[in-house]
Amino acid sequence: MLSTTGLPQGAVPKLERPGPLRDRVYEALLELITTRALQPGQHLVESELAGHLGVSRQPVREALQRLSTEGWVDLRPAQGAFVHEPTEEEADQLLTVRTLLEAEAARLAAADAGKAAIGVLEEMCAEGERAVAADDVDRAVTMNARLHAKIMELAGNAVLAELAAQVDRRVRWYYTPVARQRGRQSWIEHRELIAAIADRDEQRATAVMRAHTEHTRKMYHERDK
């Protein structure tokens, strides 16, 4: 059984200050889960986590309770805490919702994005391409999330952005295992998407984003086959 002992070198994020300690511990643990430094099914030992983070066990316990409420951690009687193992149905539902939100964001961005915004998207895409070329999966995942977040920002719809923010971390969680497989093709699709937005082609931007997110969903389900 995997435990928290032996986390990858450099995986443990530094706790940001200021802010309540329990909140900072929560954010640190959530980052370790979404990046899969702590893997689905992994046993989470309070004392070990506290040692890694340089805190007492109490804020770790509080953070695990919150993560359990949000579905990131499973608390099992007489066994302890474990990183939640998402079912195929959970992943499919989340990634389907993501497709709906992102496709609409792409359409809205295409309707109103200016030259400066397109430049930012192109710079992000170039950074993502460099990460793929260097086989830097963590950086590629980060840049993928940033590019999609920027498109959501350009959509200019606060309610849509709020809904997207609720699923963003789970999207990263599901994307990380297939990021290397998606590799260069994902960024080719990003280039196509940026071109559609730059051309103010709402219909094409919607279609490209829908296909792009669907490719990720399908690859997630096929990852172990």
Side-chain angles (χ1 to χ4, degrees):
M1 179 181 293
L2 290 171
S3 76
T4 49
T5 301
L7 280 168
Q9 184 71 26
V12 181
K14 293 182 180 179
L15 299 186
E16 297 296 330
R17 305 177 189 277
L21 185 58
R22 63 178 179 275
D23 292 346
R24 289 185 275 129
V25 170
Y26 162 84
E27 286 293 337
L29 293 181
L30 184 52
E31 183 69 11
L32 288 169
I33 291 171
T34 55
T35 59
R36 299 201 174 222
L38 293 173
Q39 300 172 17
Q42 191 162 346
H43 187 203
L44 303 173
V45 181
E46 285 183 9
S47 58
E48 292 176 0
L49 290 171
H52 283 302
L53 297 172
V55 298
S56 68
R57 292 176 62 174
Q58 182 60 31
V60 172
R61 186 175 299 117
E62 293 173 355
L64 290 176
Q65 288 285 350
R66 181 176 171 185
L67 290 165
S68 172
T69 300
E70 296 176 356
W72 292 101
V73 167
D74 297 327
L75 298 179
R76 303 175 190 170
Q79 295 184 57
F82 297 81
V83 178
H84 179 65
E85 295 186 71
T87 65
E88 294 296 302
E89 183 179 8
E90 287 173 0
D92 194 69
Q93 289 179 1
L94 187 284
L95 293 173
T96 297
V97 169
R98 182 231 185 171
T99 294
L100 295 172
L101 297 174
E102 299 263 12
E104 178 61 9
R107 184 188 72 79
L108 292 171
D112 198 38
K115 187 174 293 186
I118 299 301
V120 172
L121 291 176
E122 289 175 342
E123 289 174 9
M124 289 180 170
C125 194
E127 178 65 23
E129 290 164 344
R130 286 192 290 271
V132 169
D135 198 29
D136 187 342
V137 173
D138 290 342
R139 185 63 180 166
V141 170
T142 296
M143 293 312 301
N144 180 76
R146 288 182 181 175
L147 187 143
H148 281 267
K150 183 62 178 179
I151 292 172
M152 190 62 64
E153 176 189 322
L154 295 176
N157 186 309
V159 175
L160 185 66
E162 183 178 350
L163 291 172
Q166 292 177 27
V167 302
D168 173 67
R169 255 179 157 154
R170 289 190 187 275
V171 168
R172 285 178 60 196
W173 195 31
Y174 296 131
Y175 181 70
T176 297
V178 300
R180 182 172 277 114
Q181 285 176 276
R182 288 287 276 132
R184 185 168 176 271
Q185 181 58 38
S186 178
W187 295 93
I188 290 173
E189 293 164 12
H190 284 148
R191 285 287 180 190
E192 294 173 355
L193 177 60
I194 294 168
I197 294 173
D199 289 343
R200 299 290 184 93
D201 190 333
E202 297 177 41
Q203 186 174 354
R204 183 158 60 96
T206 301
V208 172
M209 179 66 95
R210 183 176 288 117
H212 173 68
T213 53
E214 278 294 294
H215 289 161
T216 297
R217 184 180 70 84
K218 290 176 182 177
M219 189 163 284
Y220 178 83
H221 289 306
E222 295 169 358
R223 67 197 183 283
D224 296 324
K225 296 178 182 179

